[in-house]
Amino acid sequence: MRRILFRLGVAIALTVLASGCASRSGPQPLLWAHAHNDYEHARPLLDALEHGFANIEADIWLVEGKLLVAHDRKSVKPERTLEVLYLEPLRARVRENGGRVWRGGPTLTLLVDVKSEARATYAALEAVLAGYAEILTVYEAGKEKTGAVTVVVSGNRTPEDMAAKARRYSALDGRSTELDSTAPATLYPWISENWTKLSKWKGEGALPEADRATLRNWVDRAHAQGRKIRFWNFPETPEAWRILTEAGVDVIGTDHLARLRDFLREEKGL
């Protein structure tokens, strides 16, 4: 009887261990999926990771020396820091998964949207990120050393300060104007733009052919420069998402994690 109970206990333990490993490894990552305003979900970061999102957005405010995550200044809370909500759990997960957010998976992009004054916030951000260098993509002397997490700074940006740093832990989210720039992709790996700057189409009827051609042109130019491209303020419907995927847009944002996950799995045959 003892031997039977022992074997049963071992079997249960192995089952639990396997289950734990599977949960840490998580679902197949979706390289195109971007969790817009991720911090507004019930479980910031965790909900997006469980849906396989490989791009996650956090808005930050510099308040009394802390980087607080919130959309509006009036909504900040001292306990909701960038470190507590994102950097600490990401580091723990990377350590558990053999150096990646998903075991054997791709780099995750953390898009940090700066809401407060650009220069002071960027300085504070770089100081915080330095403490997480082990998991981050690092840029030094014009070269990129890819890590488990790449931080891209959006919103209020200070390109001059970033370009001047000999060693940095983040890159810049460019705008459509950067499509005409000679700046390297190690400085501007992303190009993000308000959809209304390209088209007035709001998701009803067919996308005008002229706008479709412009979209393709922007995508081709970004890819030729080694950059990814993303749009915000875009209709959140499967029909609209299909236009982006067919044009080769790299990053698609949403507030509706499950809907975009299901669309991409079906669209990409995953």
Side-chain angles (χ1 to χ4, degrees):
M1 177 64 72
R2 289 181 179 177
R3 183 174 297 177
I4 293 174
L5 291 175
F6 174 76
R7 289 178 177 173
L8 180 60
V10 170
I12 292 173
L14 290 174
T15 300
V16 171
L17 179 60
S19 175
C21 290
S23 64
R24 287 195 296 271
S25 179
Q28 181 174 354
L30 299 169
L31 300 179
W32 312 267
H34 175 70
H36 174 250
N37 290 349
D38 173 77
Y39 51 88
E40 294 185 342
H41 290 290
R43 299 186 307 153
L45 179 65
L46 300 181
D47 286 345
L49 292 180
E50 289 184 5
H51 283 79
F53 277 50
N55 309 279
I56 295 175
E57 179 179 335
D59 295 355
I60 62 168
W61 295 84
L62 179 62
V63 180
E64 297 180 357
K66 291 185 177 182
L67 298 175
L68 304 183
V69 178
H71 187 68
D72 302 306
R73 174 63 177 84
K74 64 182 180 181
S75 302
V76 301
K77 296 180 180 179
E79 69 276 11
R80 289 174 64 87
T81 68
L82 184 67
E83 292 178 83
V84 168
L85 292 185
Y86 293 95
L87 297 176
E88 285 292 341
L90 280 171
R91 179 162 64 184
R93 185 179 174 107
V94 168
R95 287 175 175 176
E96 289 178 0
N97 284 335
R100 289 287 169 177
V101 175
W102 293 276
R103 189 174 296 276
T107 293
L108 177 139
T109 298
L110 179 62
L111 185 72
V112 177
D113 192 336
V114 175
K115 296 297 186 181
S116 46
E117 192 275 330
R119 177 159 288 177
T121 307
Y122 173 65
L125 175 62
E126 281 287 298
V128 166
L129 293 178
Y132 298 86
E134 67 180 272
I135 69 168
L136 298 178
T137 296
V138 178
Y139 305 87
E140 191 166 14
K143 295 183 179 180
E144 174 185 317
K145 182 180 179 182
T146 305
V149 178
T150 294
V151 176
V152 176
V153 178
S154 192
N156 295 332
R157 301 157 300 150
T158 174
E160 299 81 6
D161 290 1
M162 186 173 286
K165 291 186 71 69
R167 179 181 174 89
R168 53 186 167 82
Y169 304 97
S170 59
L172 276 167
D173 183 27
R175 298 293 175 261
S176 57
T177 52
E178 267 72 56
L179 289 172
D180 298 316
S181 169
T182 58
T186 51
L187 183 61
Y188 288 103
W190 276 29
I191 298 295
S192 299
E193 191 55 271
N194 190 330
W195 173 251
T196 60
K197 286 196 174 183
L198 186 149
S199 174
K200 298 183 182 301
W201 185 75
K202 297 181 179 180
E204 297 180 0
L207 177 68
E209 285 302 318
D211 294 349
R212 193 181 296 272
T214 301
L215 172 60
R216 185 70 246 181
N217 176 263
W218 284 22
V219 170
D220 289 345
R221 290 165 66 193
H223 289 176
Q225 297 165 2
R227 313 180 202 276
K228 293 183 177 181
I229 192 162
R230 172 184 76 103
F231 292 94
W232 75 84
N233 200 23
F234 193 83
E236 290 200 45
T237 66
E239 294 77 13
W241 290 334
R242 188 165 291 110
I243 287 173
L244 296 183
T245 58
E246 289 176 350
V249 172
D250 304 278
V251 181
I252 301 175
T254 188
D255 296 313
H256 307 288
L257 304 181
R259 281 164 49 185
L260 181 58
R261 176 201 60 196
D262 294 344
F263 167 80
L264 287 172
R265 284 180 175 175
E266 181 177 353
E267 190 74 7
K268 302 294 183 178
L270 301 175

